[in-house]
Amino acid sequence: MSVAPESSTVKRALSAHAAIGLLAGALLYLVSLTGTLAVFYEEWQRVEQPAAPEMTAIDPAAVQRAVEAALASDARKTTHLYVHLPVKELPRTTITTDFKAMHVDKDGGLAGPEEIAWSDFLVELHYTLNLPALLGITIVGALGVMMLALAVS
């Protein structure tokens, strides 16, 4: 003896199934598209700030002057300071603190703020869907597992 579900229940279940499929598909598409664009992260940065000073190398004394200038330019105490040296893909020197990021010229002067909001938006959208980090990474990870299961099946 079996009891068949009511047709309205079946219709609601199919509608929910379709909605979940569309949402998952849209999120997969978004993660894939932003991943494709994020491959060009350095190029997007160069497009966003074409006037930022570029160099193939920088003197260590110039880096020291830039670090001292960056620390002196803000009265707040910084606990993290990173120096991004020029590399082939992104030939710029940047100093990042807890509060700001500044481009550095070849003589060690601060050349202006780093403004790469579009590039950072794309990368964050790819990795976390611009959600709180743990939630976003969990959702993107689940989407990755779904893609793997779809590829295998």
Side-chain angles (χ1 to χ4, degrees):
M1 180 170 142
S2 67
V3 178
E6 294 183 27
S7 65
S8 63
T9 304
V10 173
K11 286 180 184 177
R12 281 196 313 261
L14 288 174
S15 294
H17 178 80
I20 291 169
L22 286 172
L23 178 65
L27 288 174
L28 277 171
Y29 179 76
L30 183 64
V31 169
S32 298
L33 177 65
T34 55
T36 301
L37 295 174
V39 168
F40 301 105
Y41 181 67
E42 291 86 4
E43 288 81 0
W44 286 117
Q45 287 186 31
R46 292 177 86 174
V47 167
E48 279 188 275
Q49 282 195 292
E54 296 192 350
M55 63 210 73
T56 56
I58 187 167
D59 184 52
V63 173
Q64 182 63 35
R65 284 191 298 275
V67 167
E68 291 169 359
L71 291 173
S73 70
D74 198 336
R76 298 173 287 187
K77 183 181 177 193
T78 188
T79 56
H80 300 89
L81 186 137
Y82 303 97
V83 178
H84 305 274
L85 297 172
V87 292
K88 180 182 172 193
E89 296 80 21
L90 190 62
R92 297 176 175 180
T93 301
T94 308
I95 294 180
T96 306
T97 68
D98 292 329
F99 311 107
K100 62 185 172 189
M102 303 286 293
H103 288 294
V104 177
D105 63 25
K106 64 181 170 119
D107 299 321
L110 299 179
E114 180 184 49
E115 296 171 343
I116 54 168
W118 172 249
S119 306
D120 287 343
F121 171 78
L122 278 176
V123 169
E124 286 299 311
L125 189 60
H126 176 67
Y127 284 112
T128 65
L129 297 172
N130 284 330
L131 296 170
L134 184 59
L135 175 64
I137 289 173
T138 302
I139 292 172
V140 171
L143 290 170
V145 169
M146 249 186 350
M147 266 196 335
L148 178 65
L150 289 170
V152 168
S153 66

